[in-house]
Amino acid sequence: MSEAVVTSEDSSGKAFAGLRVLSLESRRAAEMAKLIEKHGGEAHVSPSMREELVDDDRPAIEFAHRLVGGEIDAVILLTGVGVKMFIDQVERHVGRQRLLDSLSDIPTLARGPKPVAVMRELGLKPTLRAPAPNTWREVLATIDTQLPVANQTIGLQEYGETNPSLIAGLEARGARVDRLQVYRWALPDDTAPLEANARRLAEGEADVVMLTSANQLNNLMVVAERLGIENAVHEGFRNAVVVSIGPTTSERLRAMELPVDIESSGAMGKMVADAAAGSHAILERKKGLRQLLGGEPATLVVGGKRVPPLFQENSTDHSRGRLADDTRLQVLRDAVAGQPWADSDFLRACRREPVSRTPVWLMRQAGRYMPEYRAVRAQHSFLDLCKNPALCSEVMCTAVDYLGVDAAIIFSDLLPILEPMGLELEFAPGDGPVIHNPVREAEDVERVIDLTSVDALWFVVETVRKTRADLPSHLPLIGFAGAPFTLASYVIEGGGSRNYLHTRTLMQRDEGAWRELMQRFARSAALYLNAQIAAGAQAVQVFDSWVGCLGPGDYRRYVLPYTQELIDALDPSAVVIHFAAGNPELLPLASEAGGDVIGVDWRTDLAPAWDRLGPNVAVQGNLDPMTLLAPQATIEQRAGDLLKSVANRPGHVFNLGHGIVPQTPPENARALVDFVHEWAP
């Protein structure tokens, strides 16, 4: 999905308006420079790669003999230059016409216009053609509908390098893959222009970087490494607008921990137009993020790697896990001293201080039960709504105003963090979230990218800032993220699950792979939550919504260390609410993992649960969400019973035991809040 933000052009009609635009073009450098200049940009175009025949032609000759011998059932042709090189390389060994006849006798699938054009020159017509944007995904989708490959030998003419995802997809469909590689991507003969662009990036003299191939990025990094400026080039990418021609190039960028700001799905002209339209807004956004998050403060080591925690200036210690209880509470007091929300009942309860009335907020308090929210959703998909900070603030502020709660939680979701980590996320209508490239085997863990910046999640950071600005000043704001186990479970299962079979299999089959996956989520979630705190959240909630599928032994071994790493890495100036749902036996262990407030779901009585947790934590909860479907008299009776059980113990934040269900009458939710506020023992 493109993240471009379209802005109006300047008075000259040239949207780049003098921006310095780097393009790593290979064959059409002059044309690319003219396009950039046409849109008002300062063009710096450098050829970045060339095709070079592989040294050994024997594998190609042997492939040709298998082809003419009838041992190959179908051929996939990925590049025009590769088709031409193959014919030129082997025709004297097997005969040109014999080779062409063999290709015409079996199904052929061409990826995009370039192999089609070369086949036409050879007098051939492909049987099938993968549609735009001509990635390996479209190749597999075409196979699924038009070319059965189970138990077939499929010849695959490759790019200058192997595509493991395409090969894995073919093998998963039952094909035997016979690879043909006739060329590799080499550096251009003259590397001076590419070196010049590498230096521009390293010196911060690039506003926009455009890539039309993943291999261009590879060669740029080879040159940067030779020049000893690789780290500076990485930083240059993070500060510039990075424009990718399509999913394959975007994947390579993310795999190198580099941002993708605009993904264009069209030809070269459309790519330049998309970049021109969106670059100024994205540069302003990046500048704002750097200012908001304060650059690169002191770093923590989480799971063996350094993590920038983005602490606020008044933070006094870089690990909440080392703070004694009284010191911890003083840090929380000092952090909000002088702020309008400092003595709010919500924050006082989180600090286990006396309150004027029991504070209450509700999980999923902006959701489908509200007609105003449904009206917004009728105009926007869920993911598009999550990426629109103004609308996110609007729906939450509307809910807060209607309900009269004591705190707001940002409107977002647990899963947008997965996209910049290399996972293909879709919210399918009626089916919930779907991960199209789940992690199932130990080797798949390497596909999960460790976040090093929150640039790709700018919309969440901006949602925090916008919601903080729009809320009444006395109301605290809560940010949130998924806990490592819940994020890992979504990624491994590929969506929802009843028994978490795949998760528990990987967890117990390969503890090393599990550790690496959990540490990546702990580090990334720490970075993400600290950015939310820096943007204006007074508290953050760590949702471990799925961890209740485990027993205490597995929780202690496979979950607790990583949740603890995450919570210890968070800015100690913010309250941390730790909500581990589903199994009351995990509550003491969840408290051990960390948190100022422990969320308790509806499956246990609150008072005995609090006794088990001990005196040094506040608690949040825990009315059964289904109670809100009952008559108001029943709601008040059950809420009253819960409040009586607390017996005025300081440190109680009233909430549901999980989120409001869509069938809830809105007036029942508001009546609950009113009752809690008015209740007196």
Side-chain angles (χ1 to χ4, degrees):
M1 177 181 292
S2 171
E3 294 179 3
V5 180
V6 179
T7 61
S8 59
E9 296 185 352
D10 72 338
S11 58
S12 68
K14 297 181 177 180
F16 277 134
L19 293 180
R20 298 161 296 186
V21 183
L22 273 57
S23 173
L24 307 184
E25 189 56 44
S26 54
R27 298 188 192 89
R28 302 169 68 183
E31 184 179 348
M32 176 63 87
K34 288 179 181 178
L35 280 169
I36 293 169
E37 290 164 356
K38 176 184 175 183
H39 285 272
E42 178 186 308
H44 299 279
V45 183
S46 56
S48 60
M49 60 187 191
R50 62 182 173 84
E51 298 91 351
E52 180 180 72
L53 277 170
V54 295
D55 297 329
D56 187 357
D57 63 359
R58 285 175 298 176
I61 295 168
E62 291 166 1
F63 180 95
H65 281 296
R66 290 193 295 276
L67 178 63
V68 299
E71 298 177 36
I72 295 176
D73 300 300
V75 174
I76 300 172
L77 303 169
L78 298 182
T79 67
V81 67
V83 175
K84 187 176 186 307
M85 284 184 168
F86 171 58
I87 300 295
D88 292 344
Q89 190 175 36
V90 304
E91 62 180 349
R92 69 180 183 275
H93 298 279
V94 296
R96 182 183 182 88
Q97 193 58 47
R98 187 181 176 202
L99 189 61
L100 297 178
D101 289 344
S102 298
L103 282 170
S104 65
D105 287 343
I106 60 174
T108 50
L109 192 164
R111 183 203 65 89
K114 292 180 181 178
V116 171
V118 171
M119 291 181 74
R120 187 181 298 118
E121 293 173 5
L122 296 170
L124 300 173
K125 183 178 180 181
T127 311
L128 299 170
R129 179 173 171 176
N134 315 126
T135 73
W136 60 270
R137 295 176 181 81
E138 285 72 44
V139 171
L140 291 177
T142 303
I143 286 171
D144 288 338
T145 58
Q146 302 182 63
L147 183 63
V149 296
N151 300 314
Q152 302 284 298
T153 298
I154 305 300
L156 178 63
Q157 176 266 308
E158 296 187 306
Y159 294 89
E161 61 177 20
T162 297
N163 185 329
S165 298
L166 177 55
I167 293 174
L170 290 168
E171 291 175 343
R173 289 159 174 79
R176 297 179 295 273
V177 181
D178 193 340
R179 295 168 48 205
L180 168 65
Q181 186 174 39
V182 294
Y183 70 93
R184 59 174 169 258
W185 293 113
L187 288 169
D189 291 324
D190 179 9
T191 62
L194 186 59
E195 291 171 1
N197 269 348
R199 289 191 178 94
R200 289 186 181 97
L201 265 171
E203 293 165 7
E205 296 176 356
D207 301 307
V208 182
V209 187
M210 302 192 346
L211 299 104
T212 57
S213 164
N215 301 293
Q216 295 170 351
L217 179 62
N218 293 346
N219 283 355
L220 174 69
M221 289 306 179
V222 167
V223 167
E225 187 175 6
R226 288 180 182 176
L227 296 173
I229 57 174
E230 190 173 13
N231 290 339
V233 166
H234 270 264
E235 187 63 24
F237 266 105
R238 285 192 283 269
N239 292 330
V241 176
V242 181
V243 188
S244 162
I245 195 64
T248 302
T249 306
S250 298
E251 285 175 5
R252 185 64 53 80
L253 282 159
R254 293 187 180 111
M256 291 187 175
E257 300 180 348
L258 296 173
V260 179
D261 298 304
I262 298 175
E263 183 180 289
S264 181
S265 57
M268 195 167 70
K270 184 176 185 301
M271 179 187 191
V272 176
D274 288 345
S279 289
H280 280 284
I282 294 171
L283 285 171
E284 284 300 310
R285 186 191 78 209
K286 290 196 174 196
K287 180 181 177 182
L289 270 177
R290 288 195 299 273
Q291 291 173 344
L292 182 67
L293 302 180
E296 293 280 335
T299 57
L300 286 175
V301 176
V302 181
K305 291 193 177 180
R306 296 178 72 77
V307 177
L310 304 170
F311 289 157
Q312 296 176 354
E313 291 180 1
N314 58 4
S315 296
T316 58
D317 192 284
H318 285 184
S319 175
R320 64 180 60 237
R322 294 199 299 267
L323 298 178
D325 183 55
D326 55 348
T327 306
R328 174 82 194 105
L329 295 177
Q330 190 60 49
V331 167
L332 292 177
R333 293 186 195 99
D334 292 344
V336 294
Q339 298 294 337
W341 48 76
D343 286 318
S344 64
D345 284 328
F346 170 75
L347 288 179
R348 288 182 66 86
C350 292
R351 300 191 300 259
R352 309 193 302 277
E353 297 171 355
V355 294
S356 62
R357 62 185 186 182
T358 300
V360 54
W361 70 278
L362 306 175
M363 285 182 275
R364 212 175 291 140
Q365 60 193 18
R368 284 177 290 170
Y369 77 102
M370 297 190 71
E372 296 88 347
Y373 175 81
R374 293 196 298 271
V376 172
R377 277 299 313 278
Q379 307 284 328
H380 305 272
S381 73
F382 180 70
L383 200 52
D384 285 343
L385 173 56
C386 288
K387 293 184 176 182
N388 188 322
L391 276 180
C392 288
S393 177
E394 178 185 324
V395 297
M396 181 50 64
C397 290
T398 299
V400 167
D401 183 61
Y402 175 79
L403 295 170
V405 289
D406 295 285
I409 186 167
I410 63 168
F411 184 87
S412 187
D413 191 80
L414 297 182
L415 302 186
I417 191 175
L418 299 182
E419 286 190 306
M421 296 185 74
L423 286 309
E424 296 176 22
L425 171 66
E426 179 187 5
F427 284 88
D431 296 325
V434 177
I435 308 295
H436 290 294
N437 57 340
V439 171
R440 292 286 166 80
E441 304 296 335
E443 55 267 25
D444 294 338
V445 172
E446 287 305 310
R447 290 195 281 105
V448 180
I449 299 165
D450 227 335
L451 288 189
T452 57
S453 83
V454 292
D455 280 1
L457 294 163
W458 67 270
F459 50 91
V460 179
V461 179
E462 177 61 16
T463 291
V464 176
R465 190 203 64 78
K466 183 81 170 82
T467 308
R468 176 65 275 164
D470 293 344
L471 280 174
S473 62
H474 68 281
L475 281 183
L477 178 62
I478 306 167
F480 71 89
F485 178 84
T486 289
L487 293 175
S489 297
Y490 269 112
V491 166
I492 295 169
E493 300 296 333
S497 177
R498 292 185 178 181
N499 56 21
Y500 307 94
L501 172 66
H502 299 296
T503 302
R504 300 179 74 177
T505 298
L506 179 61
M507 182 175 76
Q508 299 185 66
R509 179 182 292 166
D510 193 324
E511 193 164 351
W514 176 259
R515 180 187 307 109
E516 180 60 32
L517 183 64
M518 291 288 278
Q519 287 179 336
R520 291 185 187 199
F521 281 123
R523 289 189 291 265
S524 298
L527 182 70
Y528 183 42
L529 286 174
N530 281 326
Q532 294 181 40
I533 295 167
Q538 285 70 58
V540 291
Q541 178 154 309
V542 176
F543 280 91
D544 219 345
S545 310
W546 285 11
V547 79
C549 70
L550 300 180
D554 281 348
Y555 182 93
R556 178 172 289 282
R557 179 168 182 171
Y558 298 112
V559 177
L560 190 154
Y562 312 108
T563 305
Q564 191 171 53
E565 285 180 358
L566 163 61
I567 293 174
D568 280 356
L570 297 180
D571 183 337
S573 68
V575 168
V576 173
I577 307 167
H578 182 188
F579 181 57
N583 183 353
E585 292 303 308
L586 301 182
L587 284 171
L589 293 170
S591 181
E592 184 179 337
D596 305 297
V597 184
I598 302 299
V600 181
D601 76 10
W602 75 94
R603 296 174 179 88
T604 187
D605 292 334
L606 189 65
W610 201 343
D611 289 339
R612 295 185 68 190
L613 290 168
N616 292 334
V617 292
V619 299
Q620 177 178 283
N622 70 331
L623 188 69
D624 185 343
M626 297 302 173
T627 303
L628 292 184
L629 303 179
Q632 288 189 16
T634 303
I635 295 171
E636 292 179 1
Q637 177 192 339
R638 294 185 179 178
D641 290 343
L642 192 158
L643 288 162
K644 287 176 188 175
S645 75
V646 173
N648 285 334
R649 187 172 176 174
H652 178 220
V653 177
F654 193 101
N655 208 317
L656 301 177
H658 214 286
I660 299 176
V661 298
Q663 297 79 9
T664 299
E667 60 272 17
N668 283 7
R670 184 166 62 180
L672 171 66
V673 174
D674 290 342
F675 176 81
V676 173
H677 282 160
E678 295 166 4
W679 184 86

